[in-house]
Amino acid sequence: MNIHSLGYARIESADPSRWRDFGTQVLGLMEVQGPASEQGTVYFKMDERPWRFAICPGSEERLVCAGWELGSASDFHDATAWLKGQSIATQSGSTEECQERGVRELLRCQDPAGNTLELYWGGGLDFAPMISPLGVSHFVTGDEGSLGLGHLVLPAGDLEVTHRFYRELGFGDSDYMEVPNPQTGGADGIRFMHADNARHHSVALYGVPAWPGGCVHMMVEVPTVDDVGRCLERVGERDIHVFSTLGRHSNDRMLSFYMMTPSGFAMEYGCQGRLMDWDSYQPSITTGRGSFWGHAFQMPEMPAD
Ligand SMILES: [Fe+2]
């Protein structure tokens, strides 16, 4: 099986107009028109793909699902067969859902921790220019978006079971680290995993049972330090909570900071993420703090188990 890249994110919000403002005026994404069948949904474009983020109106603030692109119809059918062989409940996307997402086939399922995945193949490129309202020249997603939109970190209470699911689905290991948990006095593991592209990780599984908004953080990458600094300035002007100060991660070398989104989870905004050659890479274990410098986190209150 071959999970190619992180294709899209669908987010539910009680007030998508807050995301419209945040996406266009803080992150610098381009708002685009979505399908007429999805009235009230706010779409953001970041590269040659028609859209990468869909903010759907609803009653909660949460990540609804991550869309994972498979490289071909045969990879998609292999993944479908594997999920069915594991007796994992799946739901095929309707014709309308496939049209809304601009994909050929779609299958929805949940990982063992309850995070929803939408697997698909056949996502198209519209090649319409991404014109950032803030003058961000482009977002770093690789040639024709081949690196995917960025990465996301998901809560995974039963870390090893969830990790095995992603391994068997087709992700590869990148790095493992443990971070202190001030509430338990222990440490929580994080499994960083890559898809079939050179981005250091497309998903990371954080061994905690739950997280506000169902997502620990997402990351989008911009080309330069100045793009990151300008965003940090906008965040300061708007008094948006800085979830983590500026720093450089040791595993993906991303120079970044984290801000709170309107849906209560964090968005990492970074540059200079390293590109990997997986054929010559050995998965690593980070025993230090996960950053060369910076990245002082101010975590939100955790919900009770
Ligand atoms: Fe990150």
Side-chain angles (χ1 to χ4, degrees):
M1 283 179 286
N2 179 357
I3 305 292
H4 181 263
S5 59
L6 177 58
Y8 58 78
R10 294 179 68 85
I11 294 162
E12 176 182 340
S13 175
D15 186 1
S17 68
R18 292 180 63 215
W19 267 96
R20 173 178 290 122
D21 185 60
F22 178 75
T24 60
Q25 301 305 311
V26 178
L27 302 180
L29 297 167
M30 177 186 186
E31 186 182 1
V32 289
Q33 195 69 40
S37 55
E38 287 220 292
Q39 280 282 327
T41 296
V42 173
Y43 282 90
F44 296 127
K45 178 181 179 69
M46 67 193 306
D47 58 7
E48 294 93 335
R49 302 302 173 104
W51 61 272
R52 290 290 201 174
F53 293 91
I55 318 298
C56 319
S59 57
E60 291 182 59
E61 301 291 342
R62 67 185 181 107
L63 173 68
V64 177
C65 66
W68 293 103
E69 182 164 294
L70 284 93
S72 65
S74 93
D75 284 336
F76 178 83
H77 295 137
D78 286 350
T80 301
W82 179 77
L83 287 164
K84 292 193 170 152
Q86 299 291 309
S87 302
I88 292 168
T90 59
Q91 182 189 17
S92 292
S94 65
T95 304
E96 187 182 51
E97 286 175 323
C98 289
Q99 284 171 352
E100 285 166 354
R101 289 155 178 75
V103 303
R104 298 293 181 91
E105 286 185 276
L106 179 77
L107 190 76
R108 194 174 294 112
C109 66
Q110 290 192 329
D111 70 21
N115 303 296
T116 301
L117 300 85
E118 288 188 351
L119 305 178
Y120 70 89
W121 74 276
L125 303 157
D126 69 359
F127 291 108
M130 193 292 292
I131 301 170
S132 166
L134 299 175
V136 176
S137 64
H138 64 282
F139 287 86
V140 178
T141 63
D143 289 342
E144 300 185 349
S146 59
L147 295 177
L149 74 85
H151 67 233
L152 81 170
V153 182
L154 298 170
D158 194 340
L159 181 60
E160 293 317 312
V161 170
T162 309
H163 173 237
R164 193 177 321 127
F165 170 88
Y166 282 86
R167 275 292 300 265
E168 293 180 2
L169 192 56
F171 291 82
D173 285 322
S174 303
D175 186 31
Y176 175 76
M177 71 173 70
E178 290 181 348
V179 294
N181 182 329
Q183 289 179 334
T184 64
D188 297 315
I190 309 179
R191 293 265 184 198
F192 295 86
M193 305 185 81
H194 61 269
D196 189 23
N197 66 69
R199 196 183 285 287
H200 178 272
H201 55 278
S202 291
V203 66
L205 306 170
Y206 195 167
V208 294
W211 199 272
C215 175
V216 180
H217 75 258
M218 290 181 158
M219 188 284 299
V220 294
E221 186 173 354
V222 285
T224 69
V225 174
D226 293 333
D227 291 313
V228 176
R230 289 186 189 113
C231 183
L232 188 54
E233 211 164 62
R234 295 190 290 273
V235 165
E237 286 163 3
R238 286 165 175 260
D239 218 13
I240 293 169
H241 178 67
V242 174
F243 187 93
S244 163
T245 60
L246 198 63
R248 188 184 294 279
H249 283 303
S250 51
N251 63 5
D252 64 359
R253 312 285 157 84
M254 194 74 71
L255 179 81
S256 62
F257 75 99
Y258 296 54
M259 71 199 94
M260 201 60 90
T261 69
S263 290
F265 56 82
M267 180 70 75
E268 180 180 4
Y269 202 83
C271 66
Q272 301 177 352
R274 68 169 165 163
L275 296 177
M276 312 297 289
D277 173 5
W278 298 116
D279 290 338
S280 60
Y281 181 76
Q282 190 72 16
S284 60
I285 298 174
T286 296
T287 54
R289 56 192 280 258
S291 296
F292 291 152
W293 55 270
H295 285 144
F297 281 87
Q298 295 180 289
M299 297 289 196
E301 286 288 307
M302 289 297 102
D305 290 0

